[in-house]
Amino acid sequence: MPEDLRTAILRLREAASPLEPDAEARRSLGKQALDHALAYLEQVETASTNRPWSEVFSQHLEPEFAEQGRDPARVLDYVAECVDRPGFATTSPRFMAYIPGGGLFHSALGDLLAAASNKYSGFASASPGAVRIENACTQWLASVIGYPETAAGTLTSGGSIANLTAVVAAREARDPDGGGAVYTTRFAHYCIEKALHIAGRGRSPRRQIETDASHRMSVAALEEALEADVRNGIRPWLVVASGGTVDTGAIDPLPEIAELCRKYGAWFHVDGAYGGLFALCDEGRELLQGIDQADSVALDPHKTLFLPYGTGAALVRDGRHLTEAFSATAHYISPLGESEVGPSPADLSPELTRHFRAMRLWLPLQIAGVAAFRAAQSEKLALARYFHQRLSEIDGFDPGPAPDLSVVAFRYVPEGGDADEFTERLLKHLQQEGRVMMSGTRIDGTYYIRCAILCFRTHVEHVDQAIDAIVEGVKTLNG
């Protein structure tokens, strides 16, 4: 080898050396990063639930991407001021705006371990340990909703991809040539529409099924639509029910829908991204009876199991349908040998390259134990009932329907003036004040504030604080 080439290679190696800090530098950097994370968590209890977006620009890195590395302390200070502070504090016990999980610390450690080892969890032959853990996690999730051992599942980035995965499996199993009809209610999450479009079924015959007074799918209306399609020569394909709607947490009558799907040969899918995993606790299992009869279920552990964003799951009752929909291979990724750790996740999912996301679920289950999750879920359901009960006792409030799960949709009805306009102003006041974070929605044209209680840090004192903020907000707006 020419000496000048060897010298050039060594020079490049030296220039690239910041990419691989030595043991002492790793310990120092690791301590700074951990101290940063711990400092953030220590202020979660009292921090504002919403800070101005303008704080993103309170500091500037010039240039944004420098040729030479910066002092880690300077970089972490930027993250604290311009990333951690602005916007919504989804880790706050008073964040009740959407359907948060809070982000377990155990899961953050799991992500660190997964990223440090960088195990490729797509194929069993490449990382049998990582694949075994993912398969163990999906089988445990399947057992939570009552699926048999023949079920299979895959971890996804969230409910959108979980629903897409299920729709593709349903397409391959029951509608390979198209033409089958789809049945949803107006409360179906909009990711279902996206999934149908991506799966090439955006133009399928669509039937919007009416709901009852509690915003649950009407079984009679569903049967009428199914019967009409069969009578007119249109094949029922996919019925999408909800295991907890976004607006109110309503659960569709799953056993009755399952029976109709069997009768008419339709694939029964439950979007349980929000509520499905409440089946872990006794109260939730009672509410979700029939979910085990679905052909497929979408779940979001980053909601009901309190994990960080980016953790969903698609489960199929007959696991063969996942394999038939997604299994593929190429010569360069042929398995290196037989494995006893179960199927490769790449054969059950659209993803080939995939993060070892199972560690963020597996580690907290190991360290905290299943009973702690079960108790936290029961507490959140009870807190929603408590919130609804307290609000119903205060003059001027329409507390909305009693919650099925942990979402309460309520409004304030003033003695004079427009209730929708006042309720919307009340929400804006709460959001700007930052004591408690909630969100709004319209149901059949009527404006409601949504209180979604699902952060593992949220306890009765935080619900009391939310009630106080709401009542004081009304007084402020009334002058």
Side-chain angles (χ1 to χ4, degrees):
M1 178 184 297
E3 187 61 29
D4 57 342
L5 179 57
R6 181 180 179 85
T7 300
I9 290 171
L10 293 175
R11 188 167 57 250
L12 291 170
R13 174 180 175 174
E14 177 62 26
S17 62
L19 300 178
E20 191 174 6
D22 61 22
E24 182 178 353
R26 287 195 297 270
R27 281 192 292 270
S28 175
L29 184 56
K31 182 179 185 304
Q32 290 180 75
L34 180 59
D35 286 347
H36 173 98
L38 294 176
Y40 175 83
L41 293 175
E42 285 165 6
Q43 56 83 53
V44 158
E45 176 69 31
T46 56
S48 172
T49 59
N50 185 26
R51 295 190 63 89
W53 295 358
S54 59
E55 292 184 2
V56 168
F57 304 107
S58 61
Q59 295 186 27
H60 295 273
L61 297 176
E62 298 291 351
E64 181 86 18
F65 303 102
E67 283 295 308
Q68 303 303 317
R70 291 185 165 93
D71 178 4
R74 168 73 180 93
V75 175
L76 292 173
D77 182 63
Y78 175 87
V79 171
E81 293 297 320
C82 301
V83 180
D84 293 347
R85 285 169 61 87
F88 300 162
T90 57
T91 51
S92 170
R94 290 164 287 106
F95 184 85
M96 306 172 190
Y98 300 103
I99 302 177
L104 290 171
F105 182 63
H106 314 74
S107 295
L109 297 178
D111 278 351
L112 173 63
L113 298 177
S117 65
N118 199 32
K119 288 294 187 179
Y120 175 58
S121 64
F123 291 95
S125 56
S127 183
V131 168
R132 193 206 68 77
I133 283 180
E134 175 155 344
N135 286 333
C137 286
T138 54
Q139 286 301 124
W140 179 76
L141 292 171
S143 71
V144 169
I145 64 169
Y147 265 4
E149 292 184 0
T150 54
T154 180
L155 297 181
T156 69
S157 60
S160 296
I161 300 302
N163 279 302
L164 172 61
T165 301
V167 166
V168 171
R171 180 194 68 191
E172 295 303 297
R174 302 283 176 83
D175 196 46
D177 299 320
V182 179
Y183 309 80
T184 65
T185 75
R186 67 191 186 283
F187 295 108
H189 195 279
Y190 67 90
C191 74
I192 299 297
E193 183 67 37
K194 288 182 65 174
L196 290 167
H197 175 74
I198 295 169
R201 294 296 182 268
R203 294 180 174 84
S204 296
R206 303 293 293 278
R207 311 289 181 250
Q208 187 175 99
I209 308 303
E210 290 300 313
T211 55
D212 62 19
S214 297
H215 309 126
R216 304 180 182 106
M217 182 183 286
S218 165
V219 175
L222 175 61
E223 183 166 24
E224 183 178 338
L226 290 164
E227 184 62 36
D229 278 339
V230 170
R231 189 168 56 248
N232 293 320
I234 299 172
R235 176 174 44 81
W237 165 42
L238 176 65
V239 176
V240 180
S242 179
T245 60
V246 170
D247 288 306
T248 65
I251 300 171
D252 290 329
L254 304 181
E256 293 86 352
I257 295 172
E259 183 176 351
L260 287 178
C261 287
R262 286 191 295 269
K263 178 179 177 180
Y264 289 93
W267 180 283
F268 178 27
H269 173 65
V270 174
D271 179 6
Y274 160 42
L277 282 171
F278 273 115
L280 181 64
C281 69
D282 293 340
E283 304 95 320
R285 189 177 308 112
E286 182 70 22
L287 291 166
L288 288 156
Q289 284 187 31
I291 195 172
D292 60 313
Q293 299 176 47
D295 294 293
S296 57
V297 177
L299 302 171
D300 263 355
H302 66 212
K303 293 184 175 74
T304 325
L305 291 181
F306 322 115
L307 271 59
Y309 290 130
T311 324
L315 303 178
V316 175
R317 199 172 195 279
D318 184 346
R320 294 175 302 172
H321 292 306
L322 272 183
T323 306
E324 291 167 0
F326 296 108
S327 182
T329 191
H331 291 302
Y332 78 97
I333 54 174
S334 297
L336 302 178
E338 295 300 317
S339 171
E340 297 180 0
V341 300
S344 292
D347 288 331
L348 306 173
S349 161
E351 293 180 297
L352 293 178
T353 301
R354 49 192 296 124
H355 172 58
F356 179 21
R357 58 175 64 96
M359 184 61 84
R360 56 164 54 183
L361 172 57
W362 184 85
L363 194 67
L365 286 170
Q366 300 301 316
I367 293 175
V370 174
F373 286 88
R374 186 178 293 114
Q377 288 186 351
S378 294
E379 180 192 20
K380 306 318 157 194
L381 294 175
L383 286 173
R385 296 194 300 271
Y386 174 79
F387 177 91
H388 183 269
Q389 179 181 323
R390 278 209 57 194
L391 209 61
S392 67
E393 297 168 352
I394 303 174
D395 290 342
F397 282 96
D398 170 10
D404 277 353
L405 296 174
S406 67
V407 173
V408 179
F410 68 95
R411 60 203 298 258
Y412 185 78
V413 183
E415 292 182 1
D418 185 89
D420 285 354
E421 187 270 340
F422 189 97
T423 301
E424 193 164 2
R425 283 200 297 129
L426 175 59
L427 175 62
K428 289 179 180 178
H429 170 82
L430 294 172
Q431 292 178 338
Q432 292 169 1
E433 185 182 43
R435 291 168 61 187
V436 60
M437 189 66 182
M438 295 184 181
S439 63
T441 189
R442 284 191 180 273
I443 301 175
D444 298 331
T446 301
Y447 196 85
Y448 290 88
I449 297 175
R450 292 173 64 259
C451 174
I453 300 173
L454 199 55
C455 178
F456 64 92
R457 296 185 177 98
T458 301
H459 305 298
V460 69
E461 64 269 25
H462 304 113
V463 174
D464 286 336
Q465 291 167 17
I467 293 283
D468 291 344
I470 292 167
V471 172
E472 291 168 18
V474 169
K475 292 179 180 177
T476 298
L477 294 180
N478 279 330

